[in-house]
Amino acid sequence: PYLALAVCLCLTAVAFAEDGITVTYVTSPLNAPSIVEKNGSWLENALGMPVNYAEITSGADQTAALASGDIQILNAVGGTSVILAAANGADIKVLSMYSRSPAAFMLFSADETISSPEDLKGKTIAGPKGTNLHELLAAYLATAGMTMDDVDFVSMDIPSALSALEGGSVDCALLAGAAAYNCMASGKHLVTNGEGLIAATILTATSQEYYDAHTDVIDTFLKTQEEIVTWMGENHDEVIA
């Protein structure tokens, strides 16, 4: 498969120009197509205009930036975030599937006795709200007839959740990407991952307004997606490097 001040400051640095576009750049968990695309300037070369990259990993922040017009294309945004944005009336249009990798989303604990949803009752769990990880926790609890009300969920980004787990201020942390890898390498207990629990869909998206006004840009973006996937399949070693 193809696969709130600080944010404003970031977006200001990559402000939309009349002769260019801004897309999100999300590398975690290991979004190889995005890394390949940026390093090789694939999209910029295909469009013949500057392409600016906004490193915004939070799905909620991505959809907010799309709504404000600071970003034109979300290149890797969680399906959960898109659904929530649409449910709240945001102008958001799904363009393509970026990836599906349920096993990449994980719930860790420092306590090896936590091995079932029931063991999470009353526990403090940290992770990013409104994301695939949040959905993973809800789905895991539901397998035992439990809900989010049965745990103390604290919303924070992935690095903060990992730090909180390592510092002992939370019982469990919802992690993905390098944070999950490092957590596993340090010997933390893997309670569950998303396999069999969530679809873990990652999408690309834009607004209907931008799509209608710049269909040529979107068509080029989608064509470039396909070309990158083909190239990656033929150049595995270079992709890994």
Side-chain angles (χ1 to χ4, degrees), residues 194-240:
E195 198 71 51
L197 293 172
I198 59 174
T201 54
I202 305 297
L203 309 168
T204 70
T206 187
S207 65
Q208 186 68 53
E209 180 182 10
Y210 186 81
Y211 179 86
D212 291 342
H214 302 281
T215 305
D216 55 338
V217 171
I218 299 303
D219 287 346
T220 299
F221 167 74
L222 293 173
K223 183 174 183 292
T224 303
Q225 271 192 322
E226 296 177 359
E227 291 173 349
I228 290 172
V229 169
T230 299
W231 184 86
M232 289 176 63
E234 297 170 350
N235 298 272
H236 178 268
D237 291 344
E238 190 170 349
V239 172
I240 296 302

Side-chain angles (χ1 to χ4, degrees), residues 1 15 19 25 52 70 73 82 97 110 117 119 121 135 154 168 174 187 192 194 211 214 225:
D19 59 345
Y25 182 60
N52 303 301
D70 289 308
I73 299 176
V82 171
M97 179 69 69
D119 294 332
K121 189 173 181 62
E135 184 183 1
V154 182
L174 292 157
T192 189
Y211 179 86
H214 302 281
Q225 271 192 322

Side-chain angles (χ1 to χ4, degrees), residues 107-108 120 122-131 133-135 137-138 141 147-165 168-175:
L107 175 64
F108 285 94
L120 294 175
K123 294 294 192 293
T124 301
I125 305 171
K129 184 178 180 179
T131 63
L133 285 167
H134 191 186
E135 184 183 1
L137 176 59
L141 293 171
T147 70
M148 295 294 293
D149 291 335
D150 292 306
V151 300
D152 179 16
F153 177 70
V154 182
S155 181
M156 60 180 71
D157 61 27
I158 289 176
S160 299
L162 176 57
S163 296
L165 180 64
S169 60
V170 300
D171 299 298
C172 300
L174 292 157
L175 306 174

Side-chain angles (χ1 to χ4, degrees), residues 102-108 133 136 173-176 180-181 184 190 192-194:
F105 298 90
M106 309 178 191
L107 175 64
F108 285 94
L133 285 167
L136 162 61
L174 292 157
L175 306 174
Y181 176 85
M184 188 176 295
L190 175 63
T192 189
N193 62 35

Side-chain angles (χ1 to χ4, degrees), residues 10-26 34 37-39 41-45 47-56 62 65 69-75 210 217 221:
C10 172
L11 292 177
T12 299
V14 290
F16 173 63
E18 290 184 359
D19 59 345
I21 63 168
T22 299
V23 303
T24 52
Y25 182 60
V26 184
S34 289
E37 189 277 302
K38 183 174 183 291
N39 285 355
S41 300
W42 284 68
L43 186 56
E44 185 167 280
N45 291 336
L47 289 172
M49 67 172 71
V51 174
N52 303 301
Y53 294 91
E55 297 188 32
I56 304 176
Q62 285 196 54
D70 289 308
I71 288 176
Q72 287 69 57
I73 299 176
L74 305 183
N75 191 17
Y210 186 81
V217 171
F221 167 74

